[in-house]
Amino acid sequence: MIDGLNPALILIGGSLLALLAPQGRARNLFMLALPVLGALQLWGLPYGEYARIELFDLTLTTLRLDGLSFAFALVFHIAALLAIIYAWRLDDPVQQVAGLLYPGAAVGAVLAGDLVTLFICWELAAVSSVFLIWARRTQRAYHAGMRYLLAQIGSGVLLLAGVIVHLRATGSITFEHLGLDSPGGWLIFIAFGIKAAFPLLHNWLQDAYPEATVTGTVLLSAFTTKMAIYALARGFAGTESLITIGTLMAMFPIFYAVIENDLRRVLAYSMNNQLGFMVVGVGIGTPLGLDGAVAHAFADILFKALLFMSMGAVLLRAGTVNGSELGGLYKSMPLTAGLCMVGAASISAFPLFSAFVTKSLILEAAAREGHWVSFLFLLFASAGVFHHAGIKIPFFAFFAHDSGIRCEEAPRNMLVAMGLAAALCVGIGVFPEALYAILPYPIAFDPYTTTHVVTQLQLLAWSALAFSVLVRTGIYPPELRSVNLDFDWGYRKLMPVVATGVWGAVSRGWEAFNTAVEHLVKRLIAGLARHHGQYGVLATTWPTGSMVLWAVVLLGACLIFYYL
Amino acid sequence: MDQFFYGLVGICIVLLLGDLLYHKHATFSFESWFGFFAWYGFICCVALVLLAKQMRKVVKRDEDYYGD
């Protein structure tokens, strides 16, 4: 442990040094050592504030360690480690550098004690992560990456604007509880909301994540959104509107998840739904609610990584993750199927799996505060998540009808990464005290009461029964090759159409104006030519006689006026 | 597949009847209704699928709708 060294710097610095190591085992081992060293450094640091830097007349606290930041920083290191093992055979320096820089920026963000450091890490995470999408090296991924980057940078710009307003009004850049009433509070809130994928601000997630590389999606699923959950927990804990926002977030994506064909996109919708639970926890704002949000973020990073890793392995081996083209893969990839089902059981909150001991904290917090409407919706969402992530993902990929695809089992390094993630999911489920011990607030909560176990099993078993009945009766909608319109339709279709229309109207108007002016000028020139041109009446030479005539007329007129 | 289905039906019935065997700790009164979590889960999932199916009529487009 080096006194006061920011663990984020180990990952960020290491990302550039990694390129100096020769490609292959040496570079992989070097990369693997970085999150391990980072985690050890994090573990060894006592809670407190370190590494203050004077910048102009601002004091940046680049490292603040407390219960809230510790839990996030720790799980970010674990996620980075899992991704490095998962990508062991990858020979792509772009993804390798981005795969360290991006987690490093995320760790830096959760450890930032001030808003300026947060902003710097916020933007570094945005810029480094887009390369994980572009590394797919297809036109489609390029476009998706651009849209992703616009959303991320947009969030950064709002954050910066909010920080400036806040600084001018309060003279402080300390990142502590802000609330909506604080100066710049709304700007910062929306900046966080974009990254947390609030309803209507969410679509960058489902749009971009499934377009990233096999490893890229695993990495992306871990950091950006959880960084935002951390930031909301730090700055907006107890903000009542977050309960409504979170409930909506938990609800609406599950409908899309049911009809979505791309199984990685199904997981992206399901991620949005899980983020909803965390946002509700933050909105409740009691120690139990906040602990629930942190614990669920911790668990979510692991089971979502596991699920994305299993679908990544399917994409790698079978060449597709479309539900309509898959099925029966358990014959070729039995281990991946088993590990995927551990992830499915974890996200569905089966007893002995991670979400059972983390999501229940949020539901309990909602119940204790009397939020019965949210409670019922979250219960609906819990049944829904089991339905689409717990059953649909493994069912359509590995079982259902046999698609005839025969492929190899996932590579050994991928199985190791998935195995570790699965072990952590089960470990948290079986030994919840270990996770509860690192949460920001001390809690005494026993998830394994008879009531909780029986009611949760009832919810899950009867949801499974509903799925079975619907499939057997043919009511369940088949997986179809299609695109489902979501809010991104607004900027991917409507805005281009409106922009093209407006541009067309403006250019037509301009053309008409030009024609009219040209016509006018031509007429003017023709008129001038007629009167003053070569044969124009005003251009002819006048005889002396006419001058004399006009002089006589004028004199005559003078004479008449004189006599009058 | 049939065996799996009837096995699941059996598990569901056992879990439902399980409500008779212990005292349920409920925060809200509706939680203590008989088999609340069972039938609520079932109804929610059916409603979810039926609504999502209707939603497809509005939101479903060809795969190359966005042209990229």
Side-chain angles (χ1 to χ4, degrees), chain A residues 140 143 147 254-256 258-259 322 367 370-372 375-377 379-380 383-384 387 450-451 454-455 457-459 461-466 468-470 472 475-478 480-485 488-489 492-493, chain B residues 1-2 4-6 8-9 11-13 15-16 18-19 22-25 27-28 30-31 35-42 44-53 55-56 58-66 68:
Chain A
R140 193 181 158 96
H143 288 147
R147 290 191 294 271
I254 60 178
F255 293 92
Y256 275 99
V258 169
I259 51 173
N322 283 341
H371 297 290
W372 65 273
F375 182 86
L376 280 175
F377 278 124
L379 217 52
F380 189 136
H387 195 88
T450 313
T451 304
V454 174
T455 52
L457 285 174
Q458 284 176 338
L459 185 79
W462 282 76
S463 300
L465 185 66
S468 306
V469 169
L470 292 168
R472 284 171 76 88
I475 296 172
Y476 197 87
L480 298 173
R481 295 182 69 103
S482 62
V483 160
N484 295 313
L485 306 183
D488 60 348
W489 180 81
R492 293 178 72 181
K493 208 74 182 179
Chain B
M1 250 353 235
D2 273 356
F4 178 80
F5 177 70
Y6 291 116
L8 181 63
V9 172
I11 291 171
C12 286
I13 292 170
L15 282 168
L16 184 67
D19 255 13
Y22 72 103
H23 173 70
K24 209 192 274 187
H25 290 282
T27 313
F28 301 116
F30 55 77
E31 285 182 83
F36 170 74
F37 287 84
W39 57 258
Y40 187 72
F42 187 87
C44 284
C45 279
V46 172
L48 168 67
V49 171
L50 295 182
L51 280 171
K53 230 177 142 172
M55 211 170 88
R56 208 175 222 180
V58 181
V59 299
K60 186 175 151 307
R61 293 290 183 278
D62 280 344
E63 210 171 18
D64 56 354
Y65 176 73
Y66 287 118
D68 59 5

Side-chain angles (χ1 to χ4, degrees), chain A residues 357-358 426-437 439 445-448:
Chain A
V357 304
T358 57
V426 177
I428 291 171
V430 177
F431 305 108
E433 316 79 40
L435 176 60
Y436 291 171
L439 296 179
F445 180 77
D446 177 17
Y448 287 103

Side-chain angles (χ1 to χ4, degrees), chain A residues 242-445:
Chain A
L242 284 175
I243 300 175
T244 314
I245 293 173
T247 306
L248 276 171
M249 272 170 89
M251 279 299 290
F252 87 89
I254 60 178
F255 293 92
Y256 275 99
V258 169
I259 51 173
E260 177 57 54
N261 188 30
D262 181 327
L263 297 183
R264 292 205 300 174
R265 191 159 277 125
V266 173
L267 287 175
Y269 276 113
S270 129
M271 191 166 146
N272 212 170
N273 143 285
Q274 295 299 302
L275 291 166
F277 281 87
M278 297 167 216
V279 170
V280 170
V282 173
I284 293 167
T286 57
L288 186 64
L290 287 170
D291 271 354
V294 177
H296 199 50
F298 197 102
D300 179 82
I301 287 177
L302 299 170
F303 60 63
K304 205 43 70 63
L306 174 54
L307 287 165
F308 272 120
M309 283 195 276
S310 67
M311 286 304 109
V314 167
L315 177 63
L316 179 76
R317 290 306 200 206
T320 177
V321 274
N322 283 341
S324 57
E325 292 158 51
L326 294 172
L329 271 185
Y330 78 95
K331 292 173 187 162
S332 303
M333 307 176 80
L335 294 173
T336 307
L339 290 163
C340 174
M341 285 168 74
V342 173
S346 301
I347 193 174
S348 310
F350 264 92
L352 303 180
F353 293 88
S354 56
F356 180 76
V357 304
T358 57
K359 197 160 65 178
S360 49
L361 294 173
I362 298 169
L363 282 162
E364 178 69 21
R368 282 191 195 172
E369 299 305 307
H371 297 290
W372 65 273
V373 176
S374 279
F375 182 86
L376 280 175
F377 278 124
L378 292 183
L379 217 52
F380 189 136
S382 299
V385 76
F386 175 50
H387 195 88
H388 69 255
I391 303 176
K392 176 175 166 164
I393 294 276
F395 181 75
F396 285 107
F398 299 107
F399 305 100
H401 67 281
D402 190 347
S403 60
I405 297 176
R406 293 292 176 269
C407 57
E408 278 186 78
E409 177 57 275
R412 198 184 305 161
N413 61 301
M414 288 191 172
L415 291 172
V416 170
M418 287 190 272
L420 283 172
L424 286 166
C425 288
V426 177
I428 291 171
V430 177
F431 305 108
E433 316 79 40
L435 176 60
Y436 291 171
I438 59 162
L439 296 179
Y441 301 98
I443 44 164
F445 180 77

Side-chain angles (χ1 to χ4, degrees), chain A residues 177-195:
Chain A
H177 182 80
L178 300 165
L180 291 175
D181 300 331
S182 71
W186 270 103
L187 287 168
I188 299 175
F189 184 73
I190 295 171
F192 293 171
I194 292 175
K195 290 224 184 194

